[in-house]
Amino acid sequence: MKINKEIFKESALSLHFALNDHELDVLHAESENLLTALEGLANFNTNAVEPMHYSIPYSFSTLREDKAIKIYDSANYLKNAKNRFGKYIVVK
């Protein structure tokens, strides 16, 4: 896949900024280097490689432990509200 400078110009304009000629040259050269490296990855034989879900050992959870809490009746919270509409506080 080849990416030309016109694609970068159009993308930049759609994001509301402009690229000068030097920036376009640098961006085009870097994209060509990246595409060449990615094409090289296509030559690797990965048939015997098992899928990996995490790149590092994963032995912990970042999720918090759920703990039961007491839920109060909404009437208790609404008893001091000056303006109410049903179960809701009206802010004027």
Side-chain angles (χ1 to χ4, degrees), residues 23-92:
E23 292 168 330
L24 281 170
D25 291 339
V26 170
L27 190 56
H28 186 256
E30 289 297 319
S31 68
E32 289 295 322
N33 290 341
L34 179 62
L35 289 174
T36 301
L38 290 175
E39 287 171 0
L41 290 176
N43 297 327
F44 284 106
N45 181 358
T46 58
N47 292 337
V49 178
E50 293 184 26
M52 194 160 124
H53 299 285
Y54 298 99
S55 60
I56 58 173
Y58 187 74
S59 61
F60 61 91
S61 174
T62 57
L63 300 176
R64 65 174 170 76
E65 184 178 326
D66 284 334
K67 296 179 183 175
I69 59 171
K70 184 175 180 180
I71 305 294
Y72 294 98
D73 183 29
S74 61
N76 187 37
Y77 292 111
L78 294 171
K79 66 183 176 186
N80 293 328
K82 291 181 183 177
N83 299 314
R84 287 184 278 177
F85 180 76
K87 293 184 177 182
Y88 304 99
I89 296 173
V90 177
V91 180
K92 293 183 179 183

